[in-house]
Amino acid sequence: MGNVPAVTDASFDQDVLKASKPVLVDYWADWCTPCKQLAPIIEELAAEYGDKIDFVKLDTNDNPTTPAKYGILSIPVLQLFVDGELAAEVKGARSKGAILKTLDRYL
């Protein structure tokens, strides 16, 4: 994907928890239709706000450890990590406005 790089179970610690700015993780899978509907919105947000927040995707099929650790039971889910801590979560396919409302205090 264009502006949204993939992270894995192996790179999650380095890419997300040790990041110097907030990171929004998009938990998704190829078979998930709502995830595919959400993808262009995440790309758009990454293009607009990538200077303030890093946006990454984690494929839950290929990387089951991290979703299990953070209690991801269904997708799509967006989780915002700030200074290595889970700061906010958005469950389900949401509008750009709804996602921005959650991210607002970090922008």
Side-chain angles (χ1 to χ4, degrees), residues 46-101:
E48 293 173 23
Y49 301 101
D51 57 330
K52 297 180 179 95
I53 295 177
D54 286 334
F55 293 79
V56 300
K57 297 181 87 59
L58 188 133
D59 185 330
T60 59
N61 280 349
D62 296 337
N63 303 281
T65 305
T66 302
K69 179 178 179 183
Y70 289 99
I72 306 299
L73 301 176
S74 63
I75 51 176
V77 169
L78 306 173
Q79 288 187 329
L80 182 69
F81 289 83
V82 179
D83 297 324
E85 297 292 323
L86 179 58
E89 182 174 78
V90 177
K91 293 182 178 182
R94 298 284 183 251
S95 69
K96 183 177 177 182
I99 296 167
L100 277 173
K101 196 176 284 186

